[in-house]
Structure formats: structure tokens, C-alpha cells
Amino acid sequence: MEPRHFISLLDLSSKELLSIINRAIVLKNHRNPDFQPLKGQVLAMIFEKSSTRTRISFETGMTHFGGSALFLSSRDTQLGRGEPLEDSAKVISSMVDCIMIRTFSHETVTTFAEHSSVPVINGLTDLLHPCQLLADMQTYFEYRGDIKGKTVTWVGDGNNMCHSYINAAHLLDFKLNIACPIGYEPNRDIVDSAGDRIKVFHSLEQAAKNSNLLVTDVWASMGQEEEQKKREEAFKNFQVSSATMDLAHKSALFMHCLPAHRGEEVTSEVIDGPQSVVFNAAENRLHAQKALLEFLLCK
Ligand code: CP
Ligand code: NVA
């Protein structure tokens, strides 16, 4: 049987995504140390970029479930010395039960998945970050209930996080206003795939009006460090501040996948303020990915 991969949120149906969110909430609130559905199973985690949350949440999740996780940095494996992805995928998947990859090119993950005999999970590429969306959506549901029909505002780069928010809008049927500088818009095909739920603005103020959730991310993502100065200039009118939150619905929440740069994409007042749920969302990476691992591996 072909393994079930999680490379994009769109690998799930709306119903499956909702069931993973609900299961994550149950796993969080009723933790039973004797529940070890992945006893003896191994997750290989390949990191070609840095991580705090993704690594810790997957490793802890596997331990809670009675399994274990292997941290594989490309610096220390033959992948970093140019062993073909196809060969690496065949070999690694012959010995473990699941593979998580964080890398640059999205094609690295899709190629790996094509040649893997076990499920492959996208732990972030330059194009998508679906695991973060499981946690963000779980957090919204916990605080405010169903997100269907609500308005979410994405502020900043049309990047991996923004693309996964577009996919979430599609599956969970919410409106997504995207506020980005000219030249930093999200991928047109991904925008079009979600229909008229998505609106792209070049004004933060217009995009933030009456929003139920404001979300932002760093101005320069991993791999774009040398563009930092240029991006500081391009994004200077796209900082989430108290004035931005005042334009949104009064019960609006604030999220950021972290790590954050206070004073750049968000002020301290907002990220450390009462509307911010960033640390709850960070913790939910653990619960949401446990629900994902159970979904992919316990069929
Ligand atoms: N949000 C997120 O993916 O964090 P890490 O880069 O620390 O894994
Ligand atoms: N857009 C950011 C997300 C980090 C979790 C990056 O790719 O670096």
C-alpha cells in the first residue's frame, strides 16, 4: 500500500483536518502516559535548516507515544555529501517508520516522498509549513471555536507560512486578507487555488479591518539572511502594532510561528500582550503533531 504523506495541508480533506485538530485538543487535555500507540516505532528527522519547536515537538511526541526519534543533520549524514535523494529515501525508509524533513527546496521533500516506503512529513520548506498550521488552527479552535467564515489577516511576506494559511483558508473555509509589500506577494497559483476567500492588499490598514486573527512572520526567512537590510526597508510599513490590533475585531487574536523579531514585524506590546496566543500555539505543535503521527501511522 502507498504510504500516506503530509507534504501540504491539501494532502488532507477538510474532514480529516478537522478530525486532527479535534484529536489534538483531546490528546492535550487527557494525556494518558499508558497510551503508547507508536511503541517501538522510529521517526527519522532530517534537518537542513535550524529548528527549536519542530525538533522538540516531534521528538517529545514520539517519546510520549512510546517510540523514538532520530535527529539527522545533513551536515553529518551522506545527504550533505551529495548522496542522491532517491537512494537516501529508499535506505532510510527501509529502517524507520516515518520521516520528517525540514529543507530549502520543496522538491526535495516531494522527491523524497516518491521514493519512500513510509510516510513523509514536511517540517518546513521554502514553499510551505503545514505543521505550523495544524498548531495555529488548533489554537484558534481552542480560544474561539470554529474558524469557518471568520476573517484572518496575514501580514508580511507571501512566504511558506502565508502559503499554508491559504491552504488552511481553503480547507476550513475562512476569509484570508494578505497584506504584503509590492514584490512580496504569495505564489499566484496557490492564491487562485483557494478562490475568492483570498484578498491581497498592499495596505496593512485595509487588510486588518474587522479581522478575527492577525498573523505575521519574520521579514527574512531562513536562507534569506543576506536580504535582511533590503527587507527591513520593504516591510517597514508592515509591522503589527497596537494600532493594527485596534483596527481588528476587539476579540481578535495574534499569532506568530516564532522565532520573532520584536521591533521588526511585531511590537513587544502586541506579541507580549493580552491578545497574543503565540506560546500556546508553540506548545500546540506537540499536541497537533501527535495527532498527525497517530493519523498517519495508526491505520
Ligand atoms: N515555528 C517553527 O517551525 O519553529 P522552529 O523553527 O523552531 O522549528
Ligand atoms: N518563514 C520562516 C518560518 C520559520 C518557522 C522561515 O522559513 O524561516
Side-chain angles (χ1 to χ4, degrees):
M1 206 173 71
E2 283 299 300
R4 186 85 197 253
H5 302 299
F6 181 66
I7 293 171
S8 158
L9 277 184
L10 299 181
D11 290 331
L12 303 173
S13 66
S14 300
K15 200 172 151 206
E16 287 169 337
L17 175 55
L18 283 167
S19 79
I20 289 173
I21 293 168
N22 288 325
R23 180 66 180 150
I25 296 171
V26 170
L27 287 169
K28 178 178 180 175
N29 294 331
H30 305 280
R31 172 135 193 258
N32 171 8
D34 295 330
F35 180 61
Q36 302 207 327
L38 301 184
K39 199 164 181 177
Q41 299 209 34
V42 179
L43 170 74
M45 307 187 297
I46 300 170
F47 282 96
E48 296 192 322
K49 286 177 172 172
S50 306
S51 169
T52 297
R53 283 145 285 268
T54 304
R55 176 179 177 179
I56 297 171
S57 52
F58 271 114
E59 197 161 331
T60 304
M62 284 303 291
T63 305
H64 283 181
F65 274 173
S68 60
L70 293 174
F71 173 76
L72 303 169
S73 133
S74 53
R75 265 200 311 275
D76 312 312
T77 58
Q78 299 290 6
L79 267 171
R81 294 182 59 249
E83 181 166 9
L85 286 174
E86 294 81 350
D87 294 357
S88 305
K90 282 180 200 152
V91 171
I92 298 171
S93 67
S94 73
M95 299 188 216
V96 303
D97 303 281
C98 188
I99 299 170
M100 192 282 318
I101 312 181
R102 166 168 287 199
T103 188
F104 294 85
S105 159
H106 193 69
E107 253 203 322
T108 300
V109 179
T110 53
T111 305
F112 216 93
E114 270 168 43
H115 298 274
S116 169
S117 54
V118 300
V120 170
I121 297 172
N122 178 358
L124 179 146
T125 63
D126 290 343
L127 191 74
L128 297 174
H129 193 7
C131 288
Q132 184 68 44
L133 262 291
L134 297 181
D136 283 17
M137 291 301 103
Q138 177 190 343
T139 309
Y140 191 91
F141 275 68
E142 285 175 337
Y143 279 85
R144 298 284 183 266
D146 199 344
I147 199 164
K148 185 179 163 100
K150 304 286 186 205
T151 300
V152 177
T153 304
W154 171 265
V155 184
D157 198 7
N159 64 6
N160 44 13
M161 277 295 300
C162 179
H163 292 148
S164 286
Y165 260 90
I166 296 171
N167 291 340
H170 183 177
L171 289 176
L172 298 177
D173 199 16
F174 59 81
K175 299 186 192 77
L176 180 66
N177 293 341
I178 296 168
C180 60
I182 292 171
Y184 294 91
E185 294 85 0
N187 176 300
R188 194 21 72 193
D189 291 340
I190 298 180
V191 170
D192 290 346
S193 71
D196 59 9
R197 296 179 188 89
I198 316 297
K199 288 202 177 72
V200 179
F201 297 83
H202 294 115
S203 150
L204 170 57
E205 290 68 29
Q206 281 175 15
K209 259 185 226 153
N210 299 319
S211 180
N212 301 102
L213 166 65
L214 280 101
V215 195
T216 192
D217 188 9
V218 289
W219 290 341
S221 285
M222 289 182 274
Q224 299 171 333
E225 289 78 7
E226 74 292 350
E227 294 178 32
Q228 178 67 29
K229 283 279 155 265
K230 181 180 125 194
R231 283 171 171 265
E232 276 173 24
E233 183 54 31
F235 286 84
K236 66 181 181 212
N237 296 325
F238 292 85
Q239 181 188 66
V240 179
S241 64
S242 297
T244 322
M245 296 305 293
D246 286 345
L247 295 168
H249 202 275
K250 59 178 183 318
S251 67
L253 298 174
F254 172 77
M255 292 189 200
H256 186 310
C257 62
L258 304 175
H261 293 181
R262 288 169 175 75
E264 291 185 24
E265 73 273 8
V266 61
T267 60
S268 309
E269 212 182 351
V270 170
I271 196 168
D272 300 316
Q275 288 167 283
S276 172
V277 290
V278 296
F279 296 109
N280 314 67
E283 181 196 322
N284 283 342
R285 292 292 302 276
L286 169 65
H287 311 295
Q289 287 158 200
K290 282 171 73 175
L292 174 69
L293 288 164
E294 187 185 45
F295 173 80
L296 294 176
L297 298 174
C298 302
K299 290 263 149 136

